[in-house]
Amino acid sequence: MARDIRIVTEAELRQAVPLNLTIVDVIERAFSALGHGTVVMPPILSMELPEVHGEVDVKTAYIPGFDGFAIKVSPGFFNNPALGLPSLNGLMILFSSKTGLVEAVFLDNGYLTDIRTAAAGAVAARSLAPPNVETAGVIGTGVQARLQMQAAHLVRPFGQVLVWGRDRQKAEKCAADLADSLHVDAFAVSDPKELVAQSQLVVTTTPAREPVIRADWLHPGLHITAMGADQTGKNEIDPQALAACDLYVCDSVSQCEVSGELEAALAQGSWTKGTPPELGQIINGARQGRASDDQITICDLTGTGAQDTAIATHVRTILGDVGTSIRA
Amino acid sequence: MARDIRIVTEAELRQAVPLNLTIVDVIERAFSALGHGTVVMPPILSMELPEVHGEVDVKTAYIPGFDGFAIKVSPGFFNNPALGLPSLNGLMILFSSKTGLVEAVFLDNGYLTDIRTAAAGAVAARSLAPPNVETAGVIGTGVQARLQMQAAHLVRPFGQVLVWGRDRQKAEKCAADLADSLHVDAFAVSDPKELVAQSQLVVTTTPAREPVIRADWLHPGLHITAMGADQTGKNEIDPQALAACDLYVCDSVSQCEVSGELEAALAQGSWTKGTPPELGQIINGARQGRASDDQITICDLTGTGAQDTAIATHVRTILGDVGTSIRA
C-alpha cells in the first residue's frame, strides 16, 4: 500500500516555478472553472489565536477534470517579525482527486500563494484593464506590491510604474526593485491620489482597514484590482467606488461578501446593483466585461481555493524529479 | 530562515506510537481543555466530491498552553476499495503555536486519527462506564471496532467481549482478533439486542444512517459510546434513547448538534433536556457524571480537532530521531 510522496521545499519551488505567463494561464483556468459553477469550494476555515496574535486559514477546492486538489494552510503570526521571522508561512498539500491519497507536500512557506495571488491580478488585468496601460500604480510596498506589478507587466507591458506606501523609504526601495526587474521607469509618489490620477491600472496590496482610494479619485479608463482585503474588516477602496464605477467584479461573490471590498459596501448599503459578476464569468463570456476603453472597472480579489488547486496540480506536472521522495 | 521539518511515515508512527494509557491520558487532557472552554475550535471544513464518491474533512484546534497545533486532513474516497486501496487516508501537520511555522508532517494515512479516536472511547469509558465491566460489546467489525475494544480494555479490563456486525464472518474474525490481542473470551453474536443485554459497556463503530440500537434495549448499569456518526445524516442510536437514558454526553455540543447522535434527536424533537454536558466538563467536575452504578449513560463522539492537536503535539515529543528531516 506504500507509495511515494513528493516533498518539495520553498527553495526548490522558487527555482522550478517562476511567475510567468504559464502560471497566469493556469490561474485563468481556475477562474474559468469557477465561472462555470462546477467547482466545489467550501467556505474558508479560519482560526484565530488571539493570545499569540496569530491566525490560520485553510482553503481548498475541487475542480472537476483536475486530477488533484489542494489543501492550503496559511498561518499569519504577527509577532514573528520581532523574532526575525516572516509573518506569513504555510504549505500546500496535493491530493489525488480520484483516491484522496496524498501525492505531494509543498513546504513553500507561502511562495505558491504569493505567485498564484499575483497571477490572479494579471488575470484580472488581462480581462478588465484597458488594452493600453502606459502607467501602472501600486499601493503598498511589500512582496505582493512587487509581484503584482511583475504579473501585470506580463499582460499589460507598461513603461512606467508608480508606488505609494505609508513609508516613503519602503516605497522608494520598491520602485527601485521594480525598475531593476521590469526595466521600466519607476517612481515613489507622495500622494496616492496622484498615483491613481496618472495610472490606467492600479493594484492595492495593503492590509488596510480604512480605504486608501477614494471614490472621487476614479477617472475614465481606470482599472483597479484590490487584492489586500481577505478578512472581515479589511477595506482598501471607498465603498462608494463599487457602485460608482461601471463594472465591479468579484473573484468569488460569497467570499467578497464576507471578506472583500463588497463587505463594507453591503454594510453601508451603498451597493444596490444585485449580485456582481465573477471574474470567471467574464473570462467565459457569460457576463459582460469592460465595454469601452474609458469605462472604470474594479476587481475584488479575496483569494480562492480554486487557485490553490490549479497551481498545485500544475506544479506537480512541471517538477520532474525535484524534491525528496518519501515512501509512506 | 530555513529550518528542519520532520516528515514521519505511517510505518514509523505505528512503530513509535502504540495505543496505550499514555495516549488515553493525552486525549483526556484535550477533553479537559475543551471542558474549560478555552480551546479555539472552528467548525470542521468539509468538502464533498460527489463525482468521485469522495469527501474530505479538515479539523483543527488551538489549545492554550500547548506549544503546537495540528491541521488534520481526512479524505474518504469510497471507490477506493475497488482499486485495492483503503477508503480513509490523510495526514496531520503540526505547526508551532508561537510562530505558525510547520514543525512536522505526519504522513499517517489516518493512523493517528484511528488511535486518538479509540483513546477518546477509553476516556469516555473511564469517565462514564460503571466501574466494573465484565462484558463489553462492540457494534461493527472494522479497524475502530478492534481499536475501541483495545482502548476500553486499558481502563475497564473486561473478561469477555461480544461482537456484532451485519456480516457474520467479519464479526467472527473481529472476535478472534480481539481474543488474541486482549486474551479475553470473545464471541460473535447474531443479534445486537443480545449483545446490549449482556454488556455493561457498548461501543458503536458503524457508518449507520438508521439506528442499530433501540431505546427499549437500554438496561440499568449500561454505558454506550457512539463513535460512528461524524457526518450529517449518520445515526447509530435510537434518538429516543438520548432522552431515555440518565445522562447523555457530547464530545462537542456544537458538533453533535450537526453531525452526531444529537442531530436526529433534535430533528425528531425528542431531546428536550437543554444543552447536554460535554465530556470535558465531566472530567473537570464542572458537570455531574454517572451518579450510581445502575445509571444508564451515553457518550456521543464526533471527533474533535482538539484531539488532533493533542496527539500531534504529544507525538512530536516522543519521536526522538524517527522520520526524515527536510530543511525548508
Side-chain angles (χ1 to χ4, degrees), chain B residues 64-76:
Chain B
F66 279 55
D67 63 3
F69 68 91
I71 300 267
K72 198 268 293 286
V73 184
S74 298

PDB file of all heavy atoms in Angstrom, chain B residues 64-76:
ATOM      1  N   PRO B  64      -4.779  26.578  24.356  1.00  0.00           N
ATOM      2  CA  PRO B  64      -3.824  27.429  25.070  1.00  0.00           C
ATOM      3  C   PRO B  64      -2.918  26.595  25.978  1.00  0.00           C
ATOM      4  O   PRO B  64      -3.393  25.668  26.647  1.00  0.00           O
ATOM      5  CB  PRO B  64      -4.725  28.367  25.888  1.00  0.00           C
ATOM      6  CG  PRO B  64      -5.990  28.440  25.103  1.00  0.00           C
ATOM      7  CD  PRO B  64      -6.165  27.057  24.523  1.00  0.00           C
ATOM      8  N   GLY B  65      -1.629  26.915  25.956  1.00  0.00           N
ATOM      9  CA  GLY B  65      -0.666  26.165  26.756  1.00  0.00           C
ATOM     10  C   GLY B  65       0.012  25.045  25.992  1.00  0.00           C
ATOM     11  O   GLY B  65       1.073  24.579  26.402  1.00  0.00           O
ATOM     12  N   PHE B  66      -0.580  24.586  24.887  1.00  0.00           N
ATOM     13  CA  PHE B  66       0.062  23.585  24.031  1.00  0.00           C
ATOM     14  C   PHE B  66       0.983  24.335  23.070  1.00  0.00           C
ATOM     15  O   PHE B  66       0.570  25.338  22.480  1.00  0.00           O
ATOM     16  CB  PHE B  66      -0.978  22.792  23.241  1.00  0.00           C
ATOM     17  CG  PHE B  66      -1.633  21.680  24.023  1.00  0.00           C
ATOM     18  CD1 PHE B  66      -2.263  21.936  25.230  1.00  0.00           C
ATOM     19  CD2 PHE B  66      -1.618  20.371  23.548  1.00  0.00           C
ATOM     20  CE1 PHE B  66      -2.862  20.916  25.952  1.00  0.00           C
ATOM     21  CE2 PHE B  66      -2.218  19.345  24.266  1.00  0.00           C
ATOM     22  CZ  PHE B  66      -2.845  19.617  25.461  1.00  0.00           C
ATOM     23  N   ASP B  67       2.196  23.841  22.871  1.00  0.00           N
ATOM     24  CA  ASP B  67       3.135  24.613  22.051  1.00  0.00           C
ATOM     25  C   ASP B  67       2.988  24.349  20.562  1.00  0.00           C
ATOM     26  O   ASP B  67       3.733  24.900  19.757  1.00  0.00           O
ATOM     27  CB  ASP B  67       4.585  24.423  22.527  1.00  0.00           C
ATOM     28  CG  ASP B  67       5.055  22.993  22.404  1.00  0.00           C
ATOM     29  OD1 ASP B  67       4.285  22.148  21.895  1.00  0.00           O
ATOM     30  OD2 ASP B  67       6.200  22.715  22.801  1.00  0.00           O
ATOM     31  N   GLY B  68       2.027  23.492  20.187  1.00  0.00           N
ATOM     32  CA  GLY B  68       1.750  23.274  18.774  1.00  0.00           C
ATOM     33  C   GLY B  68       0.265  23.158  18.534  1.00  0.00           C
ATOM     34  O   GLY B  68      -0.521  23.014  19.476  1.00  0.00           O
ATOM     35  N   PHE B  69      -0.124  23.283  17.270  1.00  0.00           N
ATOM     36  CA  PHE B  69      -1.500  22.951  16.899  1.00  0.00           C
ATOM     37  C   PHE B  69      -1.460  22.154  15.601  1.00  0.00           C
ATOM     38  O   PHE B  69      -0.543  22.318  14.789  1.00  0.00           O
ATOM     39  CB  PHE B  69      -2.398  24.198  16.773  1.00  0.00           C
ATOM     40  CG  PHE B  69      -2.066  25.112  15.627  1.00  0.00           C
ATOM     41  CD1 PHE B  69      -2.669  24.950  14.379  1.00  0.00           C
ATOM     42  CD2 PHE B  69      -1.145  26.133  15.779  1.00  0.00           C
ATOM     43  CE1 PHE B  69      -2.347  25.798  13.320  1.00  0.00           C
ATOM     44  CE2 PHE B  69      -0.828  26.987  14.728  1.00  0.00           C
ATOM     45  CZ  PHE B  69      -1.434  26.819  13.497  1.00  0.00           C
ATOM     46  N   ALA B  70      -2.437  21.264  15.456  1.00  0.00           N
ATOM     47  CA  ALA B  70      -2.484  20.393  14.274  1.00  0.00           C
ATOM     48  C   ALA B  70      -3.539  20.874  13.298  1.00  0.00           C
ATOM     49  O   ALA B  70      -4.578  21.416  13.696  1.00  0.00           O
ATOM     50  CB  ALA B  70      -2.800  18.960  14.697  1.00  0.00           C
ATOM     51  N   ILE B  71      -3.243  20.686  12.027  1.00  0.00           N
ATOM     52  CA  ILE B  71      -4.280  20.718  10.995  1.00  0.00           C
ATOM     53  C   ILE B  71      -4.358  19.281  10.505  1.00  0.00           C
ATOM     54  O   ILE B  71      -3.345  18.699  10.101  1.00  0.00           O
ATOM     55  CB  ILE B  71      -3.906  21.639   9.823  1.00  0.00           C
ATOM     56  CG1 ILE B  71      -3.688  23.073  10.293  1.00  0.00           C
ATOM     57  CG2 ILE B  71      -4.944  21.537   8.705  1.00  0.00           C
ATOM     58  CD1 ILE B  71      -4.864  23.998  10.224  1.00  0.00           C
ATOM     59  N   LYS B  72      -5.533  18.699  10.570  1.00  0.00           N
ATOM     60  CA  LYS B  72      -5.691  17.287  10.199  1.00  0.00           C
ATOM     61  C   LYS B  72      -6.619  17.192   8.984  1.00  0.00           C
ATOM     62  O   LYS B  72      -7.725  17.735   9.017  1.00  0.00           O
ATOM     63  CB  LYS B  72      -6.274  16.512  11.376  1.00  0.00           C
ATOM     64  CG  LYS B  72      -6.102  15.019  11.305  1.00  0.00           C
ATOM     65  CD  LYS B  72      -7.258  14.308  10.648  1.00  0.00           C
ATOM     66  CE  LYS B  72      -8.519  14.388  11.436  1.00  0.00           C
ATOM     67  NZ  LYS B  72      -8.506  13.530  12.592  1.00  0.00           N
ATOM     68  N   VAL B  73      -6.144  16.521   7.954  1.00  0.00           N
ATOM     69  CA  VAL B  73      -6.917  16.362   6.720  1.00  0.00           C
ATOM     70  C   VAL B  73      -7.306  14.890   6.590  1.00  0.00           C
ATOM     71  O   VAL B  73      -6.438  14.018   6.607  1.00  0.00           O
ATOM     72  CB  VAL B  73      -6.101  16.797   5.488  1.00  0.00           C
ATOM     73  CG1 VAL B  73      -6.970  16.711   4.233  1.00  0.00           C
ATOM     74  CG2 VAL B  73      -5.534  18.196   5.663  1.00  0.00           C
ATOM     75  N   SER B  74      -8.614  14.645   6.508  1.00  0.00           N
ATOM     76  CA  SER B  74      -9.124  13.268   6.417  1.00  0.00           C
ATOM     77  C   SER B  74      -9.947  13.076   5.148  1.00  0.00           C
ATOM     78  O   SER B  74     -11.130  13.388   5.125  1.00  0.00           O
ATOM     79  CB  SER B  74     -10.030  12.962   7.616  1.00  0.00           C
ATOM     80  OG  SER B  74      -9.329  13.059   8.817  1.00  0.00           O
ATOM     81  N   PRO B  75      -9.349  12.582   4.092  1.00  0.00           N
ATOM     82  CA  PRO B  75     -10.139  12.242   2.908  1.00  0.00           C
ATOM     83  C   PRO B  75     -10.795  10.865   3.081  1.00  0.00           C
ATOM     84  O   PRO B  75     -10.207   9.950   3.666  1.00  0.00           O
ATOM     85  CB  PRO B  75      -9.100  12.177   1.771  1.00  0.00           C
ATOM     86  CG  PRO B  75      -7.793  12.652   2.385  1.00  0.00           C
ATOM     87  CD  PRO B  75      -7.905  12.414   3.855  1.00  0.00           C
ATOM     88  N   GLY B  76     -12.017  10.756   2.587  1.00  0.00           N
ATOM     89  CA  GLY B  76     -12.700   9.463   2.496  1.00  0.00           C
ATOM     90  C   GLY B  76     -13.165   9.281   1.058  1.00  0.00           C
ATOM     91  O   GLY B  76     -14.020  10.047   0.601  1.00  0.00           O
TER      92      GLY B  76
END
